[in-house]
Amino acid sequence: MSLTIGQALRQAGRQLTAHSHSPRLDGELLLAHCLGVNRSHLHAWPEKTLDAAQQHYLEHLLARRRRGEPLAYLLGEQEFWSLKLRVTPDVLVPRPETEILVETALELLDKGSPRNVADLGTGSGAIALALASERPELNIFASDRSAAALAVARDNRRRLKLDNVRLLLGHWLCPFGPRSLELIAANPPYVAADDPELEASVLRHEPRQALIADGNGLAELLAIAHQARDTLRAGGWLVLEHGARQGQAMRQLLTTLGYRDCTSRRDLAGLERVSLARWPG
Ligand SMILES: C[S@@+](CC[C@H](N)C(=O)[O-])C[C@H]1O[C@@H](n2cnc3c(N)ncnc32)[C@H](O)[C@@H]1O
């Protein structure tokens, strides 16, 4: 029996109730994706019927969503900093809290002057492309050790036509020369493997190497802070996203390594999410 749009929406909402924080919205987005229309079309044409292929595709996506797969992977895209980014299971789904990192970096970079900036562990390219969309005069380098992730970032760069981003393959700061950067931004893996707040579905579907770090989640943050001392120009900034309970450890670590002006930025819930520090010069 063919379903109408209205029936399909109700069915999707019911099926997702136990599996999503926003079952109705997820159902609307998945159905709109299957039909190749936007959400307003669904409400304008509730009596229209789905054909067999559309119905089958919707059932397939609903089953994947019920198994905990992120909506962004099912839709193949995620909005970040008002940019529509393509995402695949090779990259972390960009999170809203990472926009705090972008805001912080933009505040630190003088307008108008060409600067060399790196986004380490770029994944989908979210941070680098957000910076590039705001500041075309910047020379932005986006690096990752995952070639598969860089392929997604490359595709996003092409779609968004943000040509001032160069992509580099390599371990943290290895692709960069000494004293070559004015600002380094990174959202590295910072979740401890035994973190009780890490949802099993996140680990099941998103790349482990994008999420988990040794040393209580601090090992990769520490590695970057270590290496950045040789790569930052005098007076350059290091801006790192970290876990909600890692702010104090980060400030201490950065101070011990010789950085100055170490502070942290909070999200709307008051949790420290980003720490920044200047390499003295
Ligand atoms: C938390 S994800 C961040 C992705 C993206 N920047 C974002 O904010 O959505 C971390 C990224 O770091 C990369 N990564 C992990 N270890 C790395 C290393 N040693 N060197 C370079 N990149 C690394 C992963 O492949 C992943 O893309």
Side-chain angles (χ1 to χ4, degrees), residues 92 94 98 119 121-123 126-127 144-146 170-172 187-189 209-210 220:
L92 188 91
T98 302
D119 165 24
T122 196
I127 297 166
D144 207 292
R145 72 166 175 197
S146 157
H171 184 282
W172 297 138
N187 172 21
Q209 71 273 14
E220 302 302 332

Side-chain angles (χ1 to χ4, degrees), residues 218-268:
L218 291 169
E220 302 302 332
L221 289 157
L222 177 61
I224 293 172
H226 248 288
Q227 295 175 21
R229 296 181 302 175
D230 294 325
T231 322
L232 281 172
R233 292 198 175 140
W237 287 95
L238 177 62
V239 189
L240 297 170
E241 178 173 329
H242 51 70
R245 284 185 298 279
Q246 293 171 330
Q248 195 184 353
M250 277 312 298
R251 290 189 297 279
Q252 205 168 343
L253 188 152
L254 291 166
T255 307
T256 307
L257 287 175
Y259 288 87
R260 302 266 168 82
D261 305 325
C262 306
T263 51
S264 300
R265 295 282 167 88
R266 294 174 189 272
D267 64 15
L268 291 175

Side-chain angles (χ1 to χ4, degrees), residues 76 83-88 122-126 128-130 132-133 142 149-167:
L83 303 173
K84 211 172 255 189
L85 296 175
R86 189 170 82 85
V87 293
T88 74
T122 196
S124 62
L129 295 168
S133 72
L150 278 185
V152 177
R154 185 171 299 112
D155 189 30
N156 281 322
R157 179 185 65 177
R158 182 185 58 79
R159 286 159 185 260
L160 295 166
K161 300 187 175 65
L162 292 167
D163 299 332
N164 56 327
V165 176
R166 282 177 55 193
L167 300 164

Side-chain angles (χ1 to χ4, degrees), residues 2-10 31 45-50:
S2 41
L3 289 177
T4 66
I5 285 179
Q7 287 167 332
L9 277 181
R10 284 190 289 282
L31 180 57
W45 306 98
E47 303 305 330
K48 267 196 177 176
T49 53
L50 280 64

